[in-house]
Amino acid sequence: MSLSTASAPVSGADRIDMVRAKALNIRRSAFTMVHEAQLGHPGGDFSAADILATLYFGVMRYDPNEPRHPDRDRFIMSKGHCTGAFYSVLAQAGFFPEAQLKTYMQPLSKLNGHPNRNYLPGIETNTGPLGHGLPVAVGIAIAGKLTAKDYRTFVLTGDGELQEGSNWEAAMAAGHRKLNRLTVIVDRNRLQQGDRTEATNSLDPLDDKWRAFGFHVEMIDGHDHAALLDVLGADPESRDKPLCVIANTIKGKGVSFMEDNVSWHHGVPTDEQFAQAMKELI
Amino acid sequence: MSAATKTNEGLYDCRDAFSKTLEALAEADDRVVAVVNDSVGSSKLGGFKKRWPERLVNVGIAEQNMVGVGAGLANGGRIPFVSCASCFLTGRALEQVKADVAYSNTNVKLCGQSPGIGYGELGPTHHSIEDLAWLRPLANLVTIVPSDPWETEQAIRFAAAYEGPVFIRVSRYPVPALEHKIDRIEPGKAEVMREGTDVAILANGVMLHKALRAAEVLAEGGVSARVVNMAWMNPLDIEAIVDAAGTGAVVTVEEASVRGGLGGAVAETLALRRPVPMELVGFPGFVPTGTVDFLFDHFGLTAAGIAAAARKAISRKE
């Protein structure tokens, strides 16, 4: 069967509205999961929500009923700890029932704290330890070239995660091989688990680093749906390099007391905080 | 023995069987690809590269990326044989082997070249006597330690046909072609190479032929030794191990650390199922400088050393 791009029948302003609504749903769903489980990584769920909504409801080609279709676009959640957002977008996209989200991190649930491809459809590789997504994505992109397939490969990394050397091994290979159908999106929220990235082991100038490794780089507001749709939706054949999108984001985006606050990396809400957040996430 | 190249004195480098078998598989199936870390020469893949340059994915000196790329190629429907010196493949990239290959349960074939002390004088940085202990707890990862060219060819062919992760040790230490009574290897099945009743010697890889010679030495002294080929580390042939303990004494022999490899696996099994006196022949830790043969002699990984271990185990029978 053929795969359709989620964006096909809707265009322009309607598409942006749809992505915005999906992103809001991801945040509400993820925070509900984290609240119920009293576990999770909500700050990073929120910084990534708009990127995920754009990919799954505006850019990627997939069929949730045939999750391993050979021609599907691939998405790898390299920041595998942000499963609140990742499971939520997969459920909204139809890979499994949204009711299953209630089991998040419960004993024997398929919704482990970090994603497992053997538990749930829509997951390409098991992530969790950082710096694993990009090498696998490079391999998928090489396979695409070898087999002359036109699928695209997307990988979402955290920014602190880029301190892992394996990313740069993979970046070097991607640049060398001019894997133009590969897109790396960096969730540049500037916070890692314990502190600011720049206070811990600085990444800037991050765009220069990716350029030096052979990538075409776009720096955008990672919460601007129009900009995300524009940059991620562009025809990869229009360039002869892999694409790196540095998405400038705010950790905890959408909830006033969580935004840009390092304690919400893996902070979990009280009932009062949860109620307050739900009032803001509308 | 189609895949074997004879070296001097009727001995074979199993890497030749590996590369010839891989070329034969690649010729028949265009999904077969090789992934290397600049290890074309040391994996003997020059011929493969010449014939299929685009299917030889050389990621450069970057083992973590190499294993991740292997998992990605499998995702894209390829059958990747990731080939690299075993010390770097299993040491440098252990987390990728765990997460991207074993835990993700991907169709990646890991080929640990020149394992054990194959690199001799280059020293413990380049030795891979720890690989079996590191990989043995990894669920899903089928692990094979072939003893000669025929078994290497069989293991590579099995890996290509099997859907799932596999690790194969590919030895460079010259070994003879052994007499196998089986037509093809069977997953998780040990092979009794020689019957015996006083002691059982469980060996794999390049130590198997030495174990067979040890049995001959023991026979001259009136001791009947069974020799079992434990090429399959995972799945492990539990029943063959328990059965071996029926002789009343067991010796394990491996080109690996005595901690956590074949000796560990057999000891765990027998402690639970049928405790008998055991001796573990292998390396006690980082080894000093020396040729491969010097190191085998030094640590008793010889026919005489194995025979001595067998007598010691027998002497401890109640």
Side-chain angles (χ1 to χ4, degrees), chain A residues 158-201:
Chain A
D159 52 357
E161 173 176 6
L162 297 179
Q163 291 157 359
E164 291 280 9
S166 51
N167 289 303
W168 302 103
E169 292 184 3
M172 202 184 291
H176 173 74
R177 292 173 177 273
K178 302 189 189 310
L179 300 175
N180 64 310
R181 302 192 74 80
L182 171 70
T183 296
V184 181
I185 307 157
V186 181
D187 183 355
R188 184 73 172 113
N189 60 36
R190 308 190 82 87
L191 286 173
Q192 53 195 97
Q193 177 171 295
D195 202 345
R196 301 207 158 269
T197 57
E198 302 314 283
T200 306
N201 195 9

mmCIF file of all heavy atoms in Angstrom, chain A residues 158-201:
data_model
loop_
_atom_site.group_PDB
_atom_site.id
_atom_site.type_symbol
_atom_site.label_atom_id
_atom_site.label_comp_id
_atom_site.label_asym_id
_atom_site.label_seq_id
_atom_site.Cartn_x
_atom_site.Cartn_y
_atom_site.Cartn_z
ATOM 1 N N GLY A 158 18.720 15.934 22.053
ATOM 2 C CA GLY A 158 18.797 17.029 22.999
ATOM 3 C C GLY A 158 20.027 17.854 22.686
ATOM 4 O O GLY A 158 20.849 17.472 21.835
ATOM 5 N N ASP A 159 20.191 18.986 23.363
ATOM 6 C CA ASP A 159 21.432 19.738 23.137
ATOM 7 C C ASP A 159 22.545 19.252 24.069
ATOM 8 O O ASP A 159 23.655 18.997 23.623
ATOM 9 C CB ASP A 159 21.221 21.257 23.198
ATOM 10 C CG ASP A 159 20.504 21.754 24.452
ATOM 11 O OD1 ASP A 159 20.094 20.933 25.303
ATOM 12 O OD2 ASP A 159 20.344 22.988 24.568
ATOM 13 N N GLY A 160 22.224 19.045 25.333
ATOM 14 C CA GLY A 160 23.233 18.493 26.237
ATOM 15 C C GLY A 160 23.766 17.170 25.716
ATOM 16 O O GLY A 160 24.952 16.850 25.856
ATOM 17 N N GLU A 161 22.899 16.418 25.067
ATOM 18 C CA GLU A 161 23.272 15.122 24.485
ATOM 19 C C GLU A 161 24.445 15.233 23.511
ATOM 20 O O GLU A 161 25.188 14.264 23.306
ATOM 21 C CB GLU A 161 22.037 14.549 23.772
ATOM 22 C CG GLU A 161 22.305 13.292 22.991
ATOM 23 C CD GLU A 161 21.060 12.687 22.360
ATOM 24 O OE1 GLU A 161 19.986 13.294 22.434
ATOM 25 O OE2 GLU A 161 21.193 11.591 21.791
ATOM 26 N N LEU A 162 24.596 16.411 22.919
ATOM 27 C CA LEU A 162 25.664 16.569 21.921
ATOM 28 C C LEU A 162 27.049 16.577 22.565
ATOM 29 O O LEU A 162 28.062 16.619 21.869
ATOM 30 C CB LEU A 162 25.439 17.846 21.103
ATOM 31 C CG LEU A 162 24.141 17.827 20.291
ATOM 32 C CD1 LEU A 162 23.969 19.134 19.535
ATOM 33 C CD2 LEU A 162 24.109 16.654 19.318
ATOM 34 N N GLN A 163 27.087 16.519 23.875
ATOM 35 C CA GLN A 163 28.377 16.339 24.551
ATOM 36 C C GLN A 163 28.892 14.907 24.373
ATOM 37 O O GLN A 163 30.071 14.645 24.616
ATOM 38 C CB GLN A 163 28.242 16.706 26.038
ATOM 39 C CG GLN A 163 28.025 18.209 26.232
ATOM 40 C CD GLN A 163 27.362 18.584 27.545
ATOM 41 O OE1 GLN A 163 27.020 17.719 28.352
ATOM 42 N NE2 GLN A 163 27.167 19.874 27.762
ATOM 43 N N GLU A 164 28.029 13.994 23.970
ATOM 44 C CA GLU A 164 28.445 12.613 23.697
ATOM 45 C C GLU A 164 29.205 12.557 22.365
ATOM 46 O O GLU A 164 28.700 12.981 21.325
ATOM 47 C CB GLU A 164 27.234 11.677 23.592
ATOM 48 C CG GLU A 164 26.488 11.444 24.911
ATOM 49 C CD GLU A 164 27.160 10.428 25.822
ATOM 50 O OE1 GLU A 164 28.299 10.016 25.540
ATOM 51 O OE2 GLU A 164 26.533 10.062 26.829
ATOM 52 N N GLY A 165 30.396 11.980 22.399
ATOM 53 C CA GLY A 165 31.236 11.942 21.198
ATOM 54 C C GLY A 165 30.673 11.138 20.048
ATOM 55 O O GLY A 165 30.975 11.426 18.879
ATOM 56 N N SER A 166 29.844 10.142 20.343
ATOM 57 C CA SER A 166 29.312 9.301 19.259
ATOM 58 C C SER A 166 28.523 10.126 18.245
ATOM 59 O O SER A 166 28.483 9.788 17.061
ATOM 60 C CB SER A 166 28.427 8.203 19.845
ATOM 61 O OG SER A 166 27.464 8.755 20.732
ATOM 62 N N ASN A 167 27.900 11.229 18.702
ATOM 63 C CA ASN A 167 27.178 12.091 17.755
ATOM 64 C C ASN A 167 28.111 12.637 16.676
ATOM 65 O O ASN A 167 27.732 12.748 15.516
ATOM 66 C CB ASN A 167 26.556 13.277 18.493
ATOM 67 C CG ASN A 167 25.389 12.853 19.353
ATOM 68 O OD1 ASN A 167 24.436 12.274 18.853
ATOM 69 N ND2 ASN A 167 25.469 13.130 20.642
ATOM 70 N N TRP A 168 29.312 12.971 17.114
ATOM 71 C CA TRP A 168 30.226 13.625 16.167
ATOM 72 C C TRP A 168 30.891 12.617 15.260
ATOM 73 O O TRP A 168 31.257 12.945 14.120
ATOM 74 C CB TRP A 168 31.202 14.518 16.940
ATOM 75 C CG TRP A 168 30.407 15.523 17.729
ATOM 76 C CD1 TRP A 168 30.141 15.496 19.065
ATOM 77 C CD2 TRP A 168 29.677 16.652 17.191
ATOM 78 N NE1 TRP A 168 29.307 16.544 19.401
ATOM 79 C CE2 TRP A 168 29.010 17.268 18.275
ATOM 80 C CE3 TRP A 168 29.535 17.192 15.923
ATOM 81 C CZ2 TRP A 168 28.204 18.401 18.122
ATOM 82 C CZ3 TRP A 168 28.742 18.320 15.763
ATOM 83 C CH2 TRP A 168 28.088 18.912 16.847
ATOM 84 N N GLU A 169 31.037 11.371 15.723
ATOM 85 C CA GLU A 169 31.456 10.303 14.812
ATOM 86 C C GLU A 169 30.422 10.174 13.692
ATOM 87 O O GLU A 169 30.762 10.069 12.507
ATOM 88 C CB GLU A 169 31.545 8.957 15.544
ATOM 89 C CG GLU A 169 32.656 8.830 16.574
ATOM 90 C CD GLU A 169 32.743 7.428 17.187
ATOM 91 O OE1 GLU A 169 31.975 6.516 16.784
ATOM 92 O OE2 GLU A 169 33.580 7.241 18.064
ATOM 93 N N ALA A 170 29.162 10.180 14.095
ATOM 94 C CA ALA A 170 28.076 9.999 13.124
ATOM 95 C C ALA A 170 27.940 11.229 12.226
ATOM 96 O O ALA A 170 27.701 11.104 11.019
ATOM 97 C CB ALA A 170 26.764 9.726 13.852
ATOM 98 N N ALA A 171 28.095 12.421 12.802
ATOM 99 C CA ALA A 171 27.984 13.648 12.013
ATOM 100 C C ALA A 171 29.053 13.677 10.932
ATOM 101 O O ALA A 171 28.799 14.061 9.780
ATOM 102 C CB ALA A 171 28.115 14.867 12.928
ATOM 103 N N MET A 172 30.246 13.246 11.302
ATOM 104 C CA MET A 172 31.350 13.221 10.334
ATOM 105 C C MET A 172 31.005 12.301 9.163
ATOM 106 O O MET A 172 31.233 12.643 7.999
ATOM 107 C CB MET A 172 32.619 12.743 11.047
ATOM 108 C CG MET A 172 33.915 13.143 10.383
ATOM 109 S SD MET A 172 35.362 12.445 11.239
ATOM 110 C CE MET A 172 35.324 13.354 12.769
ATOM 111 N N ALA A 173 30.456 11.143 9.489
ATOM 112 C CA ALA A 173 30.097 10.182 8.439
ATOM 113 C C ALA A 173 28.957 10.720 7.575
ATOM 114 O O ALA A 173 28.964 10.556 6.346
ATOM 115 C CB ALA A 173 29.699 8.841 9.063
ATOM 116 N N ALA A 174 27.995 11.387 8.196
ATOM 117 C CA ALA A 174 26.848 11.923 7.438
ATOM 118 C C ALA A 174 27.302 13.017 6.476
ATOM 119 O O ALA A 174 26.862 13.083 5.321
ATOM 120 C CB ALA A 174 25.796 12.473 8.408
ATOM 121 N N GLY A 175 28.196 13.885 6.958
ATOM 122 C CA GLY A 175 28.710 14.941 6.101
ATOM 123 C C GLY A 175 29.548 14.380 4.975
ATOM 124 O O GLY A 175 29.390 14.760 3.806
ATOM 125 N N HIS A 176 30.407 13.437 5.304
ATOM 126 C CA HIS A 176 31.282 12.819 4.300
ATOM 127 C C HIS A 176 30.466 12.166 3.186
ATOM 128 O O HIS A 176 30.810 12.264 2.012
ATOM 129 C CB HIS A 176 32.160 11.770 4.988
ATOM 130 C CG HIS A 176 32.984 10.946 4.045
ATOM 131 N ND1 HIS A 176 34.096 11.437 3.398
ATOM 132 C CD2 HIS A 176 32.849 9.665 3.629
ATOM 133 C CE1 HIS A 176 34.610 10.491 2.629
ATOM 134 N NE2 HIS A 176 33.869 9.410 2.745
ATOM 135 N N ARG A 177 29.375 11.534 3.579
ATOM 136 C CA ARG A 177 28.563 10.811 2.599
ATOM 137 C C ARG A 177 27.457 11.655 1.989
ATOM 138 O O ARG A 177 26.639 11.146 1.216
ATOM 139 C CB ARG A 177 27.950 9.560 3.268
ATOM 140 C CG ARG A 177 28.998 8.533 3.615
ATOM 141 C CD ARG A 177 28.464 7.371 4.429
ATOM 142 N NE ARG A 177 29.535 6.416 4.656
ATOM 143 C CZ ARG A 177 29.846 5.431 3.806
ATOM 144 N NH1 ARG A 177 29.112 5.243 2.729
ATOM 145 N NH2 ARG A 177 30.860 4.635 4.044
ATOM 146 N N LYS A 178 27.389 12.912 2.383
ATOM 147 C CA LYS A 178 26.389 13.845 1.823
ATOM 148 C C LYS A 178 24.980 13.238 1.888
ATOM 149 O O LYS A 178 24.268 13.145 0.886
ATOM 150 C CB LYS A 178 26.742 14.219 0.377
ATOM 151 C CG LYS A 178 28.125 14.863 0.248
ATOM 152 C CD LYS A 178 28.335 15.420 -1.142
ATOM 153 C CE LYS A 178 29.760 15.868 -1.389
ATOM 154 N NZ LYS A 178 30.330 16.745 -0.347
ATOM 155 N N LEU A 179 24.604 12.822 3.097
ATOM 156 C CA LEU A 179 23.308 12.153 3.279
ATOM 157 C C LEU A 179 22.204 13.216 3.324
ATOM 158 O O LEU A 179 21.711 13.588 4.382
ATOM 159 C CB LEU A 179 23.324 11.308 4.555
ATOM 160 C CG LEU A 179 24.392 10.202 4.589
ATOM 161 C CD1 LEU A 179 24.403 9.512 5.954
ATOM 162 C CD2 LEU A 179 24.156 9.185 3.471
ATOM 163 N N ASN A 180 21.811 13.676 2.146
ATOM 164 C CA ASN A 180 20.900 14.832 2.084
ATOM 165 C C ASN A 180 19.485 14.505 2.550
ATOM 166 O O ASN A 180 18.718 15.415 2.836
ATOM 167 C CB ASN A 180 20.873 15.418 0.665
ATOM 168 C CG ASN A 180 20.323 14.440 -0.345
ATOM 169 O OD1 ASN A 180 20.752 13.291 -0.396
ATOM 170 N ND2 ASN A 180 19.367 14.874 -1.144
ATOM 171 N N ARG A 181 19.143 13.244 2.642
ATOM 172 C CA ARG A 181 17.794 12.900 3.104
ATOM 173 C C ARG A 181 17.759 12.662 4.622
ATOM 174 O O ARG A 181 16.764 12.214 5.168
ATOM 175 C CB ARG A 181 17.243 11.691 2.340
ATOM 176 C CG ARG A 181 17.192 11.937 0.818
ATOM 177 C CD ARG A 181 16.408 10.904 0.068
ATOM 178 N NE ARG A 181 14.972 11.074 0.279
ATOM 179 C CZ ARG A 181 14.212 11.961 -0.348
ATOM 180 N NH1 ARG A 181 14.733 12.779 -1.238
ATOM 181 N NH2 ARG A 181 12.921 12.036 -0.087
ATOM 182 N N LEU A 182 18.854 12.996 5.282
ATOM 183 C CA LEU A 182 18.947 12.900 6.748
ATOM 184 C C LEU A 182 18.777 14.292 7.352
ATOM 185 O O LEU A 182 19.399 15.255 6.893
ATOM 186 C CB LEU A 182 20.312 12.336 7.141
ATOM 187 C CG LEU A 182 20.657 12.380 8.646
ATOM 188 C CD1 LEU A 182 19.813 11.390 9.434
ATOM 189 C CD2 LEU A 182 22.151 12.070 8.856
ATOM 190 N N THR A 183 17.926 14.384 8.364
ATOM 191 C CA THR A 183 17.742 15.647 9.079
ATOM 192 C C THR A 183 17.943 15.430 10.574
ATOM 193 O O THR A 183 17.296 14.565 11.172
ATOM 194 C CB THR A 183 16.323 16.214 8.843
ATOM 195 O OG1 THR A 183 16.183 16.522 7.452
ATOM 196 C CG2 THR A 183 16.104 17.485 9.659
ATOM 197 N N VAL A 184 18.851 16.203 11.147
ATOM 198 C CA VAL A 184 19.048 16.211 12.599
ATOM 199 C C VAL A 184 18.352 17.446 13.141
ATOM 200 O O VAL A 184 18.550 18.548 12.614
ATOM 201 C CB VAL A 184 20.541 16.297 12.964
ATOM 202 C CG1 VAL A 184 20.717 16.281 14.483
ATOM 203 C CG2 VAL A 184 21.324 15.188 12.315
ATOM 204 N N ILE A 185 17.540 17.262 14.144
ATOM 205 C CA ILE A 185 16.918 18.412 14.810
ATOM 206 C C ILE A 185 17.476 18.462 16.231
ATOM 207 O O ILE A 185 17.400 17.472 16.967
ATOM 208 C CB ILE A 185 15.385 18.266 14.850
ATOM 209 C CG1 ILE A 185 14.837 18.009 13.445
ATOM 210 C CG2 ILE A 185 14.752 19.521 15.474
ATOM 211 C CD1 ILE A 185 13.493 17.336 13.424
ATOM 212 N N VAL A 186 18.054 19.593 16.580
ATOM 213 C CA VAL A 186 18.583 19.757 17.932
ATOM 214 C C VAL A 186 17.571 20.559 18.747
ATOM 215 O O VAL A 186 17.227 21.688 18.385
ATOM 216 C CB VAL A 186 19.939 20.496 17.925
ATOM 217 C CG1 VAL A 186 20.465 20.629 19.364
ATOM 218 C CG2 VAL A 186 20.951 19.775 17.041
ATOM 219 N N ASP A 187 17.098 19.942 19.815
ATOM 220 C CA ASP A 187 16.182 20.630 20.740
ATOM 221 C C ASP A 187 17.053 21.512 21.644
ATOM 222 O O ASP A 187 17.509 21.087 22.696
ATOM 223 C CB ASP A 187 15.399 19.580 21.539
ATOM 224 C CG ASP A 187 14.365 20.200 22.468
ATOM 225 O OD1 ASP A 187 14.311 21.441 22.579
ATOM 226 O OD2 ASP A 187 13.618 19.424 23.093
ATOM 227 N N ARG A 188 17.268 22.750 21.174
ATOM 228 C CA ARG A 188 18.269 23.613 21.822
ATOM 229 C C ARG A 188 17.620 24.420 22.946
ATOM 230 O O ARG A 188 17.362 25.621 22.818
ATOM 231 C CB ARG A 188 18.878 24.553 20.766
ATOM 232 C CG ARG A 188 20.008 25.458 21.279
ATOM 233 C CD ARG A 188 21.269 24.668 21.504
ATOM 234 N NE ARG A 188 22.429 25.506 21.802
ATOM 235 C CZ ARG A 188 23.052 25.501 23.000
ATOM 236 N NH1 ARG A 188 22.605 24.761 23.994
ATOM 237 N NH2 ARG A 188 24.127 26.245 23.182
ATOM 238 N N ASN A 189 17.333 23.710 24.050
ATOM 239 C CA ASN A 189 16.700 24.418 25.178
ATOM 240 C C ASN A 189 17.726 24.954 26.176
ATOM 241 O O ASN A 189 17.360 25.587 27.172
ATOM 242 C CB ASN A 189 15.648 23.536 25.859
ATOM 243 C CG ASN A 189 16.232 22.249 26.417
ATOM 244 O OD1 ASN A 189 17.351 22.239 26.910
ATOM 245 N ND2 ASN A 189 15.469 21.163 26.348
ATOM 246 N N ARG A 190 18.976 24.691 25.908
ATOM 247 C CA ARG A 190 20.103 25.262 26.651
ATOM 248 C C ARG A 190 20.196 24.802 28.106
ATOM 249 O O ARG A 190 20.981 25.343 28.876
ATOM 250 C CB ARG A 190 20.105 26.797 26.568
ATOM 251 C CG ARG A 190 20.011 27.333 25.151
ATOM 252 C CD ARG A 190 20.251 28.835 25.049
ATOM 253 N NE ARG A 190 21.672 29.142 25.035
ATOM 254 C CZ ARG A 190 22.428 29.171 23.932
ATOM 255 N NH1 ARG A 190 21.911 28.904 22.745
ATOM 256 N NH2 ARG A 190 23.702 29.462 24.009
ATOM 257 N N LEU A 191 19.416 23.787 28.462
ATOM 258 C CA LEU A 191 19.518 23.231 29.821
ATOM 259 C C LEU A 191 19.766 21.730 29.731
ATOM 260 O O LEU A 191 19.155 21.042 28.924
ATOM 261 C CB LEU A 191 18.218 23.455 30.599
ATOM 262 C CG LEU A 191 17.904 24.869 31.100
ATOM 263 C CD1 LEU A 191 16.501 24.905 31.699
ATOM 264 C CD2 LEU A 191 18.933 25.320 32.137
ATOM 265 N N GLN A 192 20.655 21.242 30.555
ATOM 266 C CA GLN A 192 20.779 19.800 30.709
ATOM 267 C C GLN A 192 20.372 19.450 32.132
ATOM 268 O O GLN A 192 19.870 20.314 32.851
ATOM 269 C CB GLN A 192 22.183 19.331 30.344
ATOM 270 C CG GLN A 192 23.334 20.035 31.037
ATOM 271 C CD GLN A 192 24.644 19.733 30.314
ATOM 272 O OE1 GLN A 192 25.099 20.504 29.490
ATOM 273 N NE2 GLN A 192 25.242 18.593 30.632
ATOM 274 N N GLN A 193 20.559 18.198 32.506
ATOM 275 C CA GLN A 193 19.985 17.724 33.768
ATOM 276 C C GLN A 193 20.318 18.624 34.958
ATOM 277 O O GLN A 193 19.458 18.947 35.761
ATOM 278 C CB GLN A 193 20.493 16.308 34.030
ATOM 279 C CG GLN A 193 20.039 15.714 35.337
ATOM 280 C CD GLN A 193 20.407 14.245 35.427
ATOM 281 O OE1 GLN A 193 19.920 13.431 34.692
ATOM 282 N NE2 GLN A 193 21.304 13.919 36.336
ATOM 283 N N GLY A 194 21.584 19.044 35.039
ATOM 284 C CA GLY A 194 22.002 19.712 36.266
ATOM 285 C C GLY A 194 22.226 21.202 36.158
ATOM 286 O O GLY A 194 22.342 21.884 37.185
ATOM 287 N N ASP A 195 22.316 21.732 34.937
ATOM 288 C CA ASP A 195 22.711 23.135 34.801
ATOM 289 C C ASP A 195 22.512 23.562 33.341
ATOM 290 O O ASP A 195 22.065 22.771 32.509
ATOM 291 C CB ASP A 195 24.189 23.291 35.189
ATOM 292 C CG ASP A 195 24.556 24.726 35.599
ATOM 293 O OD1 ASP A 195 23.763 25.655 35.314
ATOM 294 O OD2 ASP A 195 25.640 24.909 36.181
ATOM 295 N N ARG A 196 22.892 24.792 33.032
ATOM 296 C CA ARG A 196 22.876 25.263 31.641
ATOM 297 C C ARG A 196 23.964 24.534 30.848
ATOM 298 O O ARG A 196 25.028 24.229 31.387
ATOM 299 C CB ARG A 196 23.131 26.777 31.592
ATOM 300 C CG ARG A 196 22.107 27.559 32.363
ATOM 301 C CD ARG A 196 21.893 28.972 31.859
ATOM 302 N NE ARG A 196 20.571 29.395 32.328
ATOM 303 C CZ ARG A 196 19.447 29.231 31.625
ATOM 304 N NH1 ARG A 196 19.484 28.732 30.409
ATOM 305 N NH2 ARG A 196 18.283 29.563 32.128
ATOM 306 N N THR A 197 23.685 24.292 29.594
ATOM 307 C CA THR A 197 24.703 23.607 28.773
ATOM 308 C C THR A 197 25.982 24.439 28.719
ATOM 309 O O THR A 197 27.085 23.899 28.792
ATOM 310 C CB THR A 197 24.211 23.379 27.328
ATOM 311 O OG1 THR A 197 23.851 24.639 26.737
ATOM 312 C CG2 THR A 197 23.034 22.428 27.285
ATOM 313 N N GLU A 198 25.807 25.750 28.605
ATOM 314 C CA GLU A 198 26.995 26.588 28.427
ATOM 315 C C GLU A 198 27.815 26.695 29.703
ATOM 316 O O GLU A 198 28.998 27.032 29.665
ATOM 317 C CB GLU A 198 26.598 27.978 27.912
ATOM 318 C CG GLU A 198 25.836 27.939 26.589
ATOM 319 C CD GLU A 198 26.463 27.025 25.532
ATOM 320 O OE1 GLU A 198 27.464 27.428 24.916
ATOM 321 O OE2 GLU A 198 25.943 25.908 25.322
ATOM 322 N N ALA A 199 27.215 26.409 30.848
ATOM 323 C CA ALA A 199 27.957 26.424 32.104
ATOM 324 C C ALA A 199 28.585 25.057 32.383
ATOM 325 O O ALA A 199 29.464 24.933 33.237
ATOM 326 C CB ALA A 199 27.030 26.806 33.257
ATOM 327 N N THR A 200 28.119 24.053 31.662
ATOM 328 C CA THR A 200 28.557 22.679 31.943
ATOM 329 C C THR A 200 29.694 22.265 31.014
ATOM 330 O O THR A 200 30.777 21.880 31.460
ATOM 331 C CB THR A 200 27.369 21.709 31.773
ATOM 332 O OG1 THR A 200 26.296 22.170 32.584
ATOM 333 C CG2 THR A 200 27.761 20.299 32.184
ATOM 334 N N ASN A 201 29.416 22.311 29.730
ATOM 335 C CA ASN A 201 30.422 21.977 28.701
ATOM 336 C C ASN A 201 29.879 22.611 27.430
ATOM 337 O O ASN A 201 29.049 22.021 26.745
ATOM 338 C CB ASN A 201 30.573 20.465 28.561
ATOM 339 C CG ASN A 201 31.827 20.074 27.804
ATOM 340 O OD1 ASN A 201 32.686 20.905 27.514
ATOM 341 N ND2 ASN A 201 31.928 18.801 27.462
#
